[in-house]
Amino acid sequence: MIEISDKVRVAVPQDEEAIMDLSRLLHAENASASMNEEKLRAMIRKALDPDKSTFIGLCGVIGPPGGPLAAVCYLFVAQLWYTDDWHLEEVFLFVHPDYRRQPYGRIMMHFMKATSERLQIPLLTGIVSNHRTEAKVRLYE
């Protein structure tokens, strides 16, 4: 298990509904397309697989097992279309609106960077929306 921060932990299967709840909030705030809940749930379950037999990534979370959660990030192990090199891709990072005055976004960024370093593969991250862009740019700096 990757332990990077005393605030962030790797999500477990009991976190599925709490991650779905945050994902719905993320979609409502930031989506550019419709949401397929079954597809989202299947993707989250792959990251929560306790024996990692379907490992494609992991979710880092802030909050107790089973929720409620203050923040979540989804990291996906992938390759770009033109290379065989692996990278760690941020699928999403979301902090619940009630916790945005806390440093949780920054803490999650540190977790993502530390996970990338621990796995010894580069982190690919960025901003894919125009909602609260200035705040996101400051966070990602």
Side-chain angles (χ1 to χ4, degrees), residues 44-55:
I44 289 170
R45 282 183 177 163
K46 287 180 182 179
L48 300 179
D49 182 7
D51 65 4
K52 296 301 181 200
S53 62
T54 60
F55 180 75

Side-chain angles (χ1 to χ4, degrees), residues 24-75:
R24 288 182 195 102
L25 287 173
L26 168 60
H27 181 266
E29 183 176 296
N30 205 17
S32 59
S34 64
M35 183 171 76
N36 179 330
E37 289 225 4
E38 289 178 26
K39 189 172 188 178
L40 172 62
R41 188 176 297 277
M43 187 77 167
I44 289 170
R45 282 183 177 163
K46 287 180 182 179
L48 300 179
D49 182 7
D51 65 4
K52 296 301 181 200
S53 62
T54 60
F55 180 75
I56 59 165
L58 59 88
C59 289
V61 295
I62 297 176
L69 299 175
V72 61
C73 69
Y74 191 115
L75 301 172

Side-chain angles (χ1 to χ4, degrees), residues 2 4 58 73 75-77 86-90 108-125:
I2 299 170
I4 304 297
L58 59 88
C73 69
L75 301 172
F76 182 75
V77 178
W86 293 99
H87 67 270
L88 190 62
E89 186 172 316
E90 174 206 346
M108 296 303 275
M109 287 295 299
H110 287 294
F111 171 80
M112 293 184 337
K113 288 168 46 178
T115 302
S116 166
E117 291 169 8
R118 175 112 6 125
L119 294 175
Q120 298 182 330
I121 57 177
L123 175 63
L124 182 65
T125 185

Side-chain angles (χ1 to χ4, degrees), residues 76-87 89 124:
F76 182 75
V77 178
Q79 296 173 323
L80 295 169
W81 60 272
Y82 57 83
T83 183
D84 291 330
D85 297 341
W86 293 99
H87 67 270
E89 186 172 316
L124 182 65

